[in-house]
Amino acid sequence: MSTAPAYLLIHVGAEDFALDGRYVREVIRWRAPTPVPGAPPVLPGIISQRGIVVPMVDLRLLLGLPAQPPDRATRLVIVHHAGIDLALLVDAVLDLQELPEPFDPPPAGHGTNGARLVSGVIRRTDRPLARLDLGALVHAVQEGRR
């Protein structure tokens, strides 16, 4: 019996990320959100999922990447963290995988705007895999609303 935690591996821009599986509720196909007047670009709107209104977060914009129109691989990852539900707009979902702990600390001076959202890095095959900090992500979304 394995004790390594499960992570949902996602692709955003040219990078791969890991989301702690404990907070992932489901993965659904992209669908157009209902726009909310006055919302920042990182929040393109809301969706109703299983009777719950969920804000959609464009993870590309939150990470400082340019927006991209959805395609067949685009998914919404419904997460629940600290009492808040979010639908994370991602370019693709790669896998659900157990990953060994601990992750290495993020490199100093990591150049992306989303560096504050990364809580660790490991190597997966030949590519680095950054663990997204959902607490920091929720905080960044809440800051953007003000």
Side-chain angles (χ1 to χ4, degrees):
M1 187 168 177
S2 177
T3 58
Y7 287 88
L8 184 69
L9 308 184
I10 60 172
H11 188 73
V12 181
E15 297 186 49
D16 295 340
F17 296 92
L19 290 170
D20 189 326
R22 295 176 297 175
Y23 303 112
V24 175
R25 295 294 177 239
E26 63 184 308
V27 177
I28 59 175
R29 290 186 184 274
W30 180 86
R31 63 178 185 251
T34 301
V36 176
V42 73
L43 295 170
I46 56 174
I47 62 168
S48 178
Q49 183 64 15
R50 302 187 194 287
I52 299 171
V53 175
V54 181
M56 184 184 295
V57 176
D58 188 331
L59 207 44
R60 280 179 150 271
L61 296 179
L62 196 61
L63 292 167
L65 301 170
Q68 179 175 326
D71 61 25
R72 292 177 55 95
T74 304
R75 295 290 182 264
L76 296 172
V77 178
I78 310 295
V79 296
H80 181 83
H81 186 273
I84 296 173
D85 292 307
L86 295 173
L88 304 178
L89 177 62
V90 303
D91 294 339
V93 170
L94 305 173
D95 199 1
L96 180 65
Q97 209 173 67
E98 293 179 346
L99 298 174
E101 296 280 346
F103 280 62
D104 293 328
H110 188 42
T112 69
N113 291 341
R116 69 187 189 284
L117 305 179
V118 173
S119 62
V121 177
I122 64 168
R123 296 223 38 96
R124 178 179 159 260
T125 60
D126 62 339
R127 294 175 53 108
L129 180 66
R131 178 178 54 201
L132 287 176
D133 181 335
L134 282 174
L137 190 146
V138 167
H139 183 71
V141 169
Q142 290 173 328
E143 279 182 341
R145 286 185 178 166
R146 292 182 193 135

